[in-house]
Structure formats: C-alpha cells, structure tokens
Amino acid sequence: MVKFLQLNLNHCRAAQVLLSQTATELKTDVAILSEPYRAKPDGVWQQSTDGGAAIWSCGQPAGHMTQRASRPGYTRAKIHEVTVYSCYLAPSMHIDAFRDVVQEIAQDARGRSSVLIAGDFTAWGSSRTTQRGTILLDALATLNVCLLNDGNRCTYSKAGRESVIDLTFASPELTRNSQWEVTDLLTYSDHAAITFKTMHSQQRLPDRQTAYRLCGWVICQDQGCLRCGNGELQQGMWQATSPVVEPGDSHSPKRERNRGRPLQGMYESIYRETKKALKVAIKPSKNRCFQDLCDAADQEPFGSAYKMVMGKLIRQPTPTSHEQLGAIVTTLFPAQPPLVLPNVTVGEPIPIDEEEVLSALTSCKASKAPGPDGIPNAALLAIVKSHPKLFAEVYNNCIAERTFPTGWKQQRLVLVPKPGKLDDDPSSYRPLCMLNSLGKIFERIICSRLEAEIEERGALSSHQHGFRKKRSTIDAIREVTQLAENAIEGERWQGGTKKYCLVCTLDVKNAFNSANWSRVLQALQRGGISG
C-alpha cells in the first residue's frame, strides 16, 4: 500500500514546516504538492520547471521513484506501478497556455497504466462551467481516468468562500481499491490536505456504500442506478464539485455548521490567536532542535546527526532498466573507429624515476572512491610511498612495451541525474567514471610529460585557457571584455573609430567522450610531440 498526501502549500513557509510533521504522523509515502515554499532537503524531490508543482517521496526509497520528468505546470514520476502527475496551473495563466499544458499532460499520460493526476487546476468551484473546466474535462476525457472529488467536501476556504479547486484523477484500478479523503488537518494553508491510499488488487474497500466511479460509468450501489455516456458522465463530474459559496448565501456550509453555536465568534478568535502563536513558535523550535542536533553530534560524531546527513546525500535514483542503461551508455560513450598507430621510429624512452611516481600521487586523494578493483586509495598511497621503485619498474615496462593494461582501462560507471531533465534522455545524466588508481597514477605521469613537451614546443594556441597552468576562466573573461572595450572605444560619429563587438559562443555536446582518438594522435604528430 502506498499513502499519498495532496496539498497546496500556498507558498507558505509555515505550511511547509507543518507538512513534514503531518507526513510523519500519517506515515505518508508520497506528497503531491502545489505552490511549495522551497525544495525539501530530505527524501527525493521532483519539481516542475516553473517551481509550481512538486512530488516529494518522503517515505519511499530513492530507487522507487523513476521515469521522472519536469515541465512548466507539472511534473511526473513513477512510484512502484503508479505514474503520478503533480500539477499547478496558476489563475494568471493565459487560457491558451492552460490548454497547451493540459493537453500535454493528457498526451504524456496516454497509454500509461495506473495513472494518478492531482493538483490545483484553478478551473473548478464556479456555479457555472468555466472555460478552463471544459478544457480540462475534454482533455482528460481521452484518458482512462475518473475524478475522485465527490463535492461533499471543499478543498479551498478563505474569507467565507469555499470551493473545490484541488482535484484528483485516477485510473479505475486505483479508484476501486483505494481510500480518498479530504481531511480536517491543520495545514496553515487555505487549502485542505487530501489523503489517498492505493491498495493491492485483492483488497477491497470496507465501505460497501461507496460509489465506484469508473471511466465512462458511474455506479451508485446504495441506489442501484447506472449512468453512462459522455454527456451524462461529464454532467456527473460537474456535479461532483461544489460551487463558490458567498458568505451571505443560505446554503453556506459554514452557516449550517454555525447554527446553534452562540460562542462561535469566541471560538474563532481563540483559533486565530492559537494559529498565530503556532506560527511564531515554529522558528524558535526549529532553532532549538538544530542546536540539540549539533550538541548530539559533538558528543557522538557517528550518531543520529551523522545518519541524518548521510541519508540526505542520496537524492536522485539512477535508472535500473538494462535497455535504458544500454541506450545511455551508447550515447554518452559513442563507439570509436579502430585506432591505427603510425609506423614511426620511436627513440629510447626516458625512464620513469621514483620522483615522478611520488609526484603523480598528488592526483590521487585518499578520500576518493576506488575503482573496480576495490583497493582504497589510502591503502594504495601508503604502499606506493613505501615502495616507489617497484611501481616505477612496472610503469617503465608498460612504456617499453607500448601498452596500457586492459584492467586499468575498465571503469565503474555512476550516472548522476541532472535536475529538471527527462529520465529517458541520455543527456540528462552526468557520467562519473571510477578508474583503478594504479592506472590513474600512470595517466598522471604520461600527462605531465605531454604537458611539458607541448608547452616547450608551443603547440597550443595563445588563446587557449582551459587545462593550462597559470590560466583560468577569469583570464578568458578578462580577454573577452578587453576586446569588447577596445571595439567600442572612441566616438561613433564624424569619422570616429568606434566599432561593434559581436560575441559568438559554441558548446560541443559530449565533447570529451566524442573526441576522435585518431584526430588527437594526428594533432600530436603535427605538433612534433615525441611518441
């Protein structure tokens, strides 16, 4: 069973603080949020590109949140077998943009099984069918989903006005075996919290009087009636929502609840004062708890504080599908044509001495992750420092045989997802390649020799700043700004020397992994670099 919590936080800091407490008390697995205050540091957080909608996996392991995508107005993630869409379409959004986002959601959800679409659509709550409501119904009518709101409980209340603007659409298999409820929990937002539980297929709802709302059919068991057809279904969905109620309306739910309660004004005053005191007390309580956590860390470094921090380091899951992993690796590491070594006469190489080996050790930090061999860097550094002559002989043999051991070329690949990118796009992942440290030391020795000879022969352009000693990004920026200043100096009119400056930038996609090795070798030959 997966427990969902749906809530519009109204971009309120206090509401988001209470969200953590509410999710803990209800043992919530996934929170579907609209207008969050900021991204949560714990769990897995997936947010729309405009920041208006988010999915917070607060109780599920990171690996259970897959197929993530972020778009303006909504975000999507698959949790177990349920594809969840969190949406927020602001009231200020133009009607054409509203239509485009809703149709994009419907297009993306089409063909997916077990779909849950929830959020604040700002398209409901009027006594008449609005244009946004019609657009929403027409778009989602093409999906196998149904509306869970029954209209008995409002999801939004402010200044005596109540309406239903937080909606939940779900596939029939989810509605038949689930519990959907608008709660009375204090959220510090003008929106009510909605809870939703998905159960296993063999489990049934205990209440037999519950109406099972299916796509295309509305079954009411207590009355034994059956309605079908697009028109009647749409009308039934409209009736499942409650209109905006003015304070003076005799049908106001608040007026009905307030009847016979002469002390209602006093109770409301006490409620407002208590609510204000709660908001004031939140910040000092958080500061006090943080200080207690710091004190506990001083007393026990690997205690609860350490476990909390380490738990928050695991943010985004990586793909596990073999097909998807194969496509990502093929794209990020394209196949290279066979490398043909030139038939040139090579002189006697300069032997690698112990000083070169010890100097190359500076590139291997003891805290870095080991490669596929699993040898910790700290242990390897201690061994190399104790026997540098032995390792110098190994590397000299590799140079004499003009070979680089295959085991040193193997790597342990870690894919780090880029935020706000599609899961099925290979460019959405940043590859980290963990190599054996023995091979990295050998690479550092070869690289140091190449850099020294290239600088000596002047084989690099004077305008190249990357990967060069005593040059940085600041130097490159200073060179560009100086060219721009020289171009615009002087007077523009009456024969002046003032010119225009045009800047053109290029970004080569996957440049390092796609570089042709044969071209690199040819460039070294043109520069007269010894082989």
Side-chain angles (χ1 to χ4, degrees):
M1 181 176 64
V2 181
K3 297 182 180 180
F4 293 91
L5 175 66
Q6 178 183 347
L7 178 61
N8 185 318
L9 295 173
N10 202 22
H11 199 69
C12 177
R13 180 177 182 179
Q16 185 149 325
V17 172
L18 289 179
L19 170 66
S20 301
Q21 181 67 22
T22 302
T24 302
E25 293 177 354
L26 297 180
K27 298 181 179 180
T28 302
D29 297 312
V30 180
I32 305 174
L33 306 174
S34 300
E35 293 191 277
Y37 179 73
R38 64 176 57 171
K40 297 289 290 182
D42 50 343
V44 181
W45 183 274
Q46 179 70 19
Q47 188 168 285
S48 61
T49 55
D50 54 10
I55 300 175
W56 178 36
S57 182
C58 46
Q60 291 291 315
H64 288 179
M65 192 169 173
T66 59
Q67 298 184 14
R68 303 184 314 275
S70 297
R71 289 288 186 268
Y74 76 96
T75 183
R76 176 249 295 165
K78 187 174 183 179
I79 301 169
H80 292 287
E81 299 301 325
V82 182
T83 302
V84 182
Y85 291 82
S86 178
C87 314
Y88 176 69
L89 282 69
S92 59
M93 180 179 291
H94 191 271
I95 190 65
D96 294 335
F98 180 90
R99 180 184 294 103
D100 293 340
V101 173
V102 171
Q103 291 179 352
E104 183 179 351
I105 295 174
Q107 179 66 27
D108 188 81
R110 189 168 295 113
R112 300 179 184 270
S113 60
S114 299
V115 175
L116 179 63
I117 303 175
D120 183 354
F121 293 89
T122 61
W124 236 257
S126 176
S127 57
R128 59 181 178 84
T129 304
T130 63
Q131 186 178 5
R132 292 194 174 203
T134 303
I135 293 174
L136 181 62
L137 284 176
D138 291 343
L140 298 188
T142 62
L143 303 177
N144 189 26
V145 295
C146 51
L147 181 64
L148 299 185
N149 300 68
D150 54 12
N152 295 328
R153 290 295 304 275
C154 298
T155 64
Y156 172 83
S157 176
K158 185 176 183 181
R161 296 170 60 89
E162 294 185 342
S163 62
V164 179
I165 58 179
D166 301 293
L167 306 177
T168 309
F169 296 86
S171 299
E173 61 270 18
L174 298 179
T175 62
R176 286 193 296 263
N177 304 288
S178 63
Q179 294 177 341
W180 185 92
E181 180 185 8
V182 180
T183 68
D184 292 322
L185 297 172
L186 176 63
T187 63
Y188 222 98
S189 172
D190 45 19
H191 294 254
I194 300 173
T195 58
F196 179 77
K197 302 177 183 178
T198 60
M199 303 179 184
H200 298 294
S201 58
Q202 64 270 20
Q203 295 178 308
R204 308 296 295 180
L205 288 176
D207 185 8
R208 295 184 58 85
Q209 301 299 324
T210 303
Y212 297 100
R213 295 173 294 276
L214 307 181
C215 182
W217 301 86
V218 179
I219 306 174
C220 184
Q221 292 186 354
D222 55 349
Q223 297 180 3
C225 60
L226 177 64
R227 300 194 304 271
C228 63
N230 293 333
E232 295 188 29
L233 172 63
Q234 191 175 44
Q235 182 66 26
M237 293 175 68
W238 289 334
Q239 293 176 356
T241 61
S242 59
V244 175
V245 183
E246 299 294 340
D249 194 340
S250 59
H251 297 286
S252 169
K254 285 191 174 182
R255 289 175 59 92
E256 294 176 1
R257 292 195 298 265
N258 293 344
R259 291 178 181 176
R261 300 179 62 179
L263 300 179
Q264 180 64 25
M266 181 185 68
Y267 292 149
E268 290 181 353
S269 178
I270 295 176
Y271 171 77
R272 287 193 296 268
E273 293 177 0
T274 306
K275 186 178 179 181
K276 182 178 180 180
L278 173 63
K279 183 177 181 180
V280 174
I282 285 177
K283 187 174 182 179
S285 176
K286 291 181 63 178
N287 294 337
R288 183 173 62 256
C289 292
F290 179 74
Q291 186 60 45
D292 294 342
L293 188 65
C294 294
D295 296 340
D298 293 337
Q299 299 176 2
E300 190 178 359
F302 295 98
S304 57
Y306 173 81
K307 295 178 181 179
M308 181 181 298
V309 173
M310 294 303 296
K312 293 179 179 179
L313 293 180
I314 304 177
R315 289 291 188 88
Q316 304 291 349
T318 55
T320 57
S321 171
H322 293 287
E323 294 78 7
Q324 186 178 6
L325 286 174
I328 293 174
V329 172
T330 303
T331 304
L332 295 180
F333 302 93
Q336 292 278 356
L339 180 62
V340 180
L341 297 177
N343 188 13
V344 295
T345 303
V346 181
E348 188 68 21
I350 302 176
I352 298 175
D353 55 20
E354 300 177 16
E355 293 298 329
E356 280 188 280
V357 174
L358 294 176
S359 177
L361 285 179
T362 57
S363 63
C364 295
K365 305 297 182 182
S367 59
K368 292 296 184 65
D373 57 9
I375 301 177
N377 279 6
L380 180 63
L381 294 179
I383 297 175
V384 175
K385 289 180 180 179
S386 302
H387 306 279
K389 183 178 180 180
L390 175 62
F391 289 92
E393 292 177 359
V394 172
Y395 295 141
N396 282 323
N397 291 335
C398 293
I399 293 180
E401 298 175 3
R402 302 185 67 184
T403 183
F404 198 95
T406 305
W408 294 354
K409 299 178 184 179
Q410 295 176 351
Q411 58 189 6
R412 180 166 58 90
L413 178 62
V414 177
L415 298 176
V416 180
K418 299 179 182 178
K421 300 289 186 178
L422 288 173
D423 288 352
D424 50 4
D425 186 3
S427 61
S428 301
Y429 298 91
R430 182 176 292 106
L432 297 181
C433 303
M434 309 299 178
L435 296 167
N436 293 332
S437 297
L438 281 174
K440 293 168 67 175
I441 296 175
F442 191 30
E443 285 182 355
R444 185 68 257 176
I445 295 174
I446 297 175
C447 182
S448 298
R449 291 191 172 190
L450 278 176
E451 289 177 347
E453 188 170 352
I454 289 174
E455 290 289 347
E456 180 182 352
R457 296 179 180 274
L460 295 179
S461 170
S462 60
H463 299 293
Q464 179 174 337
H465 294 78
F467 305 99
R468 301 189 67 180
K469 295 181 179 179
K470 299 181 180 180
R471 297 198 182 195
S472 64
T473 308
I474 298 178
D475 298 324
I477 296 175
R478 185 181 293 114
E479 183 175 337
V480 173
T481 55
Q482 185 63 44
L483 288 173
E485 291 176 359
N486 295 338
I488 64 175
E489 68 180 359
E491 298 294 335
R492 182 184 299 241
W493 309 108
Q494 298 179 355
T497 60
K498 195 168 187 179
K499 303 177 181 179
Y500 292 99
C501 179
L502 177 64
V503 178
C504 179
T505 61
L506 297 176
D507 183 15
V508 181
K509 184 178 181 181
N510 200 23
F512 292 99
N513 295 336
S514 303
N516 190 292
W517 299 337
S518 299
R519 299 292 179 87
V520 174
L521 187 58
Q522 293 173 9
L524 292 175
Q525 291 177 339
R526 288 195 302 269
I529 307 302
S530 59

